[in-house]
Amino acid sequence: MSALSGAASVVGIGATEFSKDSGRSELQLAAEAVRAALDDAGLRPSDVDGLVTFSMDANAEIAVARELGVPRLRFFGQIGYGGGAACATVGHAAMAVATGVADVVVCYRAFNERSGHRFGRVAAGATAAPTSGGIDNGWQYPVGLSTPAATVAMFAQRYLHEFGATSEDFGRVAVAMRRHAATNPRAWFHGRPITLAEHQASRWIVEPLHLLDCCQESDGAVAVVVTSTARARDLPHPPAVITAAAQGSGADQFTMTSYYRDDLTGLPELGLVARQLWAQAGIGPADVQVGMLYDHFTPFVLVQLEELGFCGRGEARHFLADGGIELDGALPVNPHGGQLGEAYIHGMNGLAEGVRQIRGSAVNQVADVRNVVVTAGTGVPTSGLVLAVG
Amino acid sequence: MSAGVAPVADAVQDPAERIREAARRLVEAGDCAPRPARDPVNEPMINNWTEALGDANPAYPGIAPPAMVQVWTMGGLHGQRADDDPLGAMTRVLDEAGYTSVVATDCAQTYARALRPGERLAVRARLTDVAGPKRTALGEGWFVTTVSTWTVDGEPVAEMMFRILKFRPPPPPPPPRQVPRPQVNRDTAYFWEGTAVGELRIQKCGECGALRHPPGPMCPRCGATRPGYVVASGRGEVYSFVVHHHPPLPGREVPFVVALVELEEGVRVLGELRGADPGAVRIGAPVEVDFDRIDDELVLPAWRPR
Ligand SMILES: [Zn+2]
C-alpha cells in the first residue's frame, strides 16, 4: 500500500449525451460535463481548485474555469499521449489531493470527434510538427502507415501469428461489447447487438482488422470529480476510492508504433501499470470484479487481459471463448458497452462506468463489486486505476 | 465533310480503316472549288512585306516576291476554311479519332512565273496522301499531304506541297504523388540522403557499434553522441504487415501492404511492400529493399519480394 492509495476518491461523474453531431462547441460540451459532475458530487464551481485534461483536448483549463465561474485554480495540467491520458488525469488529481496541493480537482475530456476532427482520418501535418513526435511520425506516415487502425493492425497481425489466434477471437470482444451496449440506453448502439458472423462479414479497414474491430467515433464529454476520501464521506454518493493510480511507458516507447522491441505481442507499458496497480492497491487480479478495459480496437483487449494477469500470455482467446468478459463471466468487461458499444470518449466514459459499478448504480450492474480496474489508451504511454468501495 | 464526298459508313469500325477510307474519298474528290483572293496583287502589300523582311531587291514592288503567293489568298482575320477544303475535312476526321494535335512537317513551293500588281489570284487544294498511323517522337500520328494550286484567270502560276503531322498527344504526366513528408533533421538526414542514392542506411554508434533504427542522437547503450551509419544489405523478412483498405490515402491505391521488415542486420524498418499479392503476404516472407521515388527530393524505403 502506498501513500496515494485510498487518499482520494471519485465523488462525482457527469457527461453530455453521446452522439454523432453534438451541435455545439467542444468548450460547451466540456463545461456541461464538468457542471454535471459537480452537481452529481454535490459541489459548486467555487469549490473547484484544480482542473486536469488531455493534452489533445481543445479546451484549456482556463477556458473551462471561465465558463464555470471557477474563481481560482491552484492545480492544473494536461496529460499527453492521446487516450493513454484517461486514467492519468485522475491519477494526477489524486496526487494533488493526497498532498494537499488541491482540494477538489475535476478531470474532463470533451470533443466533437465525429462531427469535427476525426482521429480515424490521416492526420494532416502529423509529420510536420517540429518535435520529437513529428520526427517519429516520419518513419510511419510517409510509407503509408497513417491511421490508428493501421498501427494497431501491425501488432494484431503478429499476435495472430505468434499465438494461433484468429479474427474471430478479436470478434468475440466486439460481440460482447455490443451485447452490453444493447441494454444501455445511453449507448449509441443501444438495442443493436451484433453476431460473430456479422463481425466476420464487416468490411476490411486494415487487415487483419474488420470494421467491427474498430470503435465508433463520437461527439461528447465526460468529467469526474476527485477530492479527499475524508471529504467524500460528507458528499451524496458513496465514494469510488482510488486505491491505485499509475502511469507507464516502456523501453523504446513510441506512440502507437513501438515496433522495434524484441516482442510485439505484449504491451509492456501496460504491464508496468498493472504491476504498480496491484502493488499500490494490495490486491491481485482475483480480487477484481469488473474490468473497464480501453477498447478502441479489439486486439488490444486481449493483450490487456494478459498484461493485467487475468489470463496467461497468449491465452486471452480461451478466456474470451469461455465467456470470460461477459456480464456473468470471470471478469465482466465494460458492462456499459465500452467504446465499441457506448461511445468513444477517449476512455473517460469507461472511467465513469467504473465509478457507477462501485456505487452499484450501473444499468448493467455487476453483483458485489468491491474493486474495479480501469485502463487507458493502449499502444501509447498509458495509465490505470483501481477503484474500490469505501 | 466536304461537298460531294459521302461520309464514311458507320459500319467501318476500325479507326485506322475509317481514316484510310475517308482519305481515299477525299483524294478521289480531287481539287476543291477555287477560292478567289480578297484583293488583287498590290504594291502597298508588297512594300509592307519586303520592308518587314528587309528585302531591298529593286524588282519589288514592280513584281511581287514569289514567296508571297500565299499572302494573296489568305482568309484574313475572320476567314473561315471552305466547307469543301480537303485539309479541313481530313483534320475533322483525325480530330474525331483522337489525333488532335498538329505540326507542319514539310512545305515546298513551285513558281511558274512572277506576279504583277493588279493580277487577281484564286487558289484550290487537293488531298494527295494520308499515311499512318506512324509512331513519332511526338506521338502516334498521320502525315497528311495536300497540294494547293494558285491560278490567274485559270492559268496555274504557283503550286505548294504542304504536309502536316496530325498526332495523338501523349497522356499528361501523372500528377506528382502527394504523401506526408518526413521531417529531416540532424538526427535523421543520413537516412533520407541514403534512400535518395539507393542506400538503406542503419544508424551505427560510433563508440560501441550498436545498430539502431529509428535513429536518435544519443546511443541508448553507451551514451555516445557520435552516430554513424552502415549500409544495410537490404535483405530481410516480413516481421509483421498490414493490408490497408480504408480510408483512401493520398499517393496510394488501396489495397496496399505496409510491412515491418526485420533486416539481416537485426533492426526493423517500415515500408510499403510492392509487387506482392496482398492476399498472399505472410510473416517470414523474404523481401529486399526497394526505393519508392516520390519526387526529386523524397525517396521512401520500400520492399519487394525476393
Ligand atoms: Zn553506443
Side-chain angles (χ1 to χ4, degrees):
Chain A
M1 302 283 276
S2 70
L4 179 61
S5 182
S9 293
V10 179
V11 296
I13 55 177
T16 64
E17 81 290 356
F18 305 135
S19 74
K20 300 301 181 192
D21 186 357
S22 73
R24 48 210 199 274
S25 72
E26 295 188 340
L27 180 56
Q28 183 173 340
L29 296 178
E32 289 180 13
V34 172
R35 187 172 286 280
L38 288 169
D39 288 347
D40 182 63
L43 295 168
R44 293 184 303 273
S46 58
D47 295 316
V48 175
D49 59 357
L51 285 171
V52 185
T53 188
F54 296 48
S55 62
M56 278 185 80
D57 200 280
N59 311 291
E61 306 94 303
I62 57 171
V64 172
R66 285 198 305 265
E67 297 314 302
L68 272 294
V70 173
R72 69 199 196 295
L73 282 178
R74 300 196 291 160
F75 175 70
F76 36 87
Q78 303 177 5
I79 319 291
Y81 310 112
C87 294
T89 61
V90 170
H92 285 219
M95 286 190 284
V97 167
T99 54
V101 167
D103 288 330
V104 174
V105 181
V106 186
C107 309
Y108 63 91
R109 179 74 174 109
F111 54 29
N112 287 322
E113 197 280 326
R114 180 60 181 81
S115 66
H117 171 62
R118 300 174 66 177
F119 300 168
R121 301 301 162 106
V122 179
T127 59
T131 61
S132 60
I135 292 285
D136 288 351
N137 288 339
W139 306 112
Q140 158 200 351
Y141 282 76
V143 300
L145 194 80
S146 47
T147 63
T151 58
V152 172
M154 191 69 79
F155 285 100
Q157 187 83 263
R158 188 72 198 182
Y159 184 95
L160 296 176
H161 173 79
E162 296 245 357
F163 297 133
T166 69
S167 168
E168 291 195 344
D169 297 316
F170 298 156
R172 282 182 241 284
V173 174
V175 171
M177 294 306 104
R178 292 289 291 269
R179 180 154 48 229
H180 298 173
T183 53
N184 171 10
R186 290 179 56 83
W188 179 257
F189 288 115
H190 177 233
R192 284 185 281 172
I194 57 167
T195 65
L196 194 55
E198 285 170 331
H199 168 272
Q200 288 293 293
S202 66
R203 66 186 168 111
W204 291 121
I205 297 299
V206 182
E207 292 179 57
L209 300 188
H210 289 276
L211 173 65
L212 291 176
D213 287 305
C214 309
C215 78
Q216 59 190 309
E217 298 178 290
S218 307
D219 286 9
V222 171
V224 301
V225 182
V226 176
T227 192
S228 70
T229 301
R231 185 170 184 178
R233 310 282 177 214
D234 302 328
L235 298 175
H237 293 289
V241 180
I242 302 161
T243 55
Q247 287 180 274
S249 171
D252 212 12
Q253 181 77 50
F254 284 79
T255 300
M256 301 301 285
T257 55
S258 299
Y259 295 154
Y260 311 99
R261 298 164 167 166
D262 288 344
D263 178 29
L264 249 57
T265 59
L267 289 166
E269 55 279 359
L270 181 67
L272 176 60
V273 168
R275 290 190 296 279
Q276 296 177 83
L277 294 181
W278 304 142
Q280 282 183 32
I283 62 171
D287 302 308
V288 172
Q289 289 75 44
V290 181
M292 307 304 311
L293 303 188
Y294 195 92
D295 59 333
H296 55 353
F297 299 100
T298 58
F300 278 158
V301 173
L302 281 74
V303 183
Q304 287 178 83
L305 290 167
E306 296 168 10
E307 291 286 359
L308 288 163
F310 291 104
C311 61
R313 188 77 62 189
E315 294 175 0
R317 62 193 175 106
H318 305 304
F319 191 86
L320 294 170
D322 293 342
I325 66 171
E326 306 293 335
L327 291 176
D328 59 354
L331 179 75
V333 168
N334 301 346
H336 64 312
Q339 304 191 99
L340 289 156
E342 187 186 64
Y344 174 69
I345 312 292
H346 241 166
M348 291 298 272
N349 52 319
L351 208 162
E353 169 71 3
V355 174
R356 285 190 292 268
Q357 290 289 337
I358 291 293
R359 291 178 178 179
S361 63
V363 64
N364 293 324
Q365 182 65 46
V366 174
D368 302 324
V369 174
R370 295 182 307 283
N371 295 297
V372 174
V373 67
V374 187
T375 62
T378 42
V380 293
T382 190
S383 56
L385 294 172
V386 176
L387 302 175
V389 173
Chain B
M1 203 47 77
S2 63
V5 177
V8 175
D10 287 341
V12 180
Q13 291 300 328
D14 176 52
E17 205 45 53
R18 283 179 71 87
I19 290 165
R20 287 191 197 97
E21 177 65 11
R24 191 182 60 77
R25 289 171 187 234
L26 286 165
V27 169
E28 276 178 6
D31 277 312
C32 64
R35 184 165 53 79
R38 183 169 61 184
D39 300 306
V41 176
N42 61 83
E43 290 189 0
M45 194 66 82
I46 294 169
N47 285 331
N48 289 339
W49 203 85
T50 54
E51 184 177 56
L53 269 63
D55 188 341
N57 188 327
Y60 311 141
I63 60 169
M68 266 189 88
V69 65
Q70 267 183 291
V71 171
W72 307 118
T73 51
M74 277 182 176
L77 194 58
H78 305 292
Q80 297 211 331
R81 223 181 251 285
D83 283 347
D84 67 345
D85 178 82
L87 186 55
M90 198 63 224
T91 293
R92 284 192 294 274
V93 170
L94 289 164
D95 282 344
E96 284 165 16
Y99 301 94
T100 52
S101 294
V102 64
V103 61
T105 61
D106 298 88
C107 181
Q109 296 184 344
T110 311
Y111 314 111
R113 66 167 174 81
L115 299 173
R116 290 185 169 73
E119 290 189 306
R120 274 193 180 272
L121 275 75
V123 65
R124 60 178 195 257
R126 65 183 190 278
L127 184 70
T128 59
D129 187 51
V130 176
K134 295 190 187 301
R135 295 206 170 282
T136 76
L138 293 170
E140 185 184 273
W142 299 72
F143 288 95
V144 178
T145 309
T146 55
V147 172
S148 299
T149 306
W150 283 267
T151 57
V152 175
D153 297 331
E155 173 204 357
V157 293
E159 196 174 76
M160 175 175 75
M161 184 280 289
F162 184 58
R163 184 172 294 135
I164 62 170
L165 171 66
K166 282 287 285 176
F167 62 98
R168 191 191 300 280
R177 285 168 61 200
Q178 300 286 340
V179 301
R181 304 181 78 87
Q183 207 176 130
V184 178
N185 74 356
R186 289 179 180 83
D187 302 334
T188 66
Y190 78 95
F191 182 89
W192 300 108
E193 288 163 8
T195 56
V197 297
E199 292 181 359
L200 182 64
R201 297 176 179 174
I202 307 171
Q203 188 178 62
K204 180 179 183 180
C205 177
E207 188 69 35
C208 75
L211 298 180
R212 182 187 187 196
H213 184 86
M218 179 178 287
C219 175
R221 191 163 83 176
C222 76
T225 53
R226 23 182 226 97
Y229 67 83
V230 293
V231 177
S233 67
R235 289 185 300 274
E237 292 184 353
V238 173
Y239 187 80
S240 191
F241 69 97
V242 304
V243 184
H244 187 106
H245 293 264
H246 184 82
L249 295 187
R252 289 200 159 69
E253 285 183 18
V254 294
F256 65 89
V257 178
V258 180
L260 176 66
V261 167
E262 187 153 296
L263 294 170
E264 287 178 347
E265 291 81 0
V267 301
R268 297 184 199 138
V269 181
L270 283 169
E272 183 179 352
L273 174 55
R274 311 192 300 174
D277 171 10
V281 178
R282 295 289 176 268
I283 285 176
V287 298
E288 63 188 357
V289 73
D290 196 1
F291 294 98
D292 183 5
R293 180 169 290 277
I294 301 299
D295 52 40
D296 288 345
E297 292 178 352
L298 177 61
V299 180
L300 298 174
W303 313 106
R304 60 180 176 231
R306 67 174 163 94

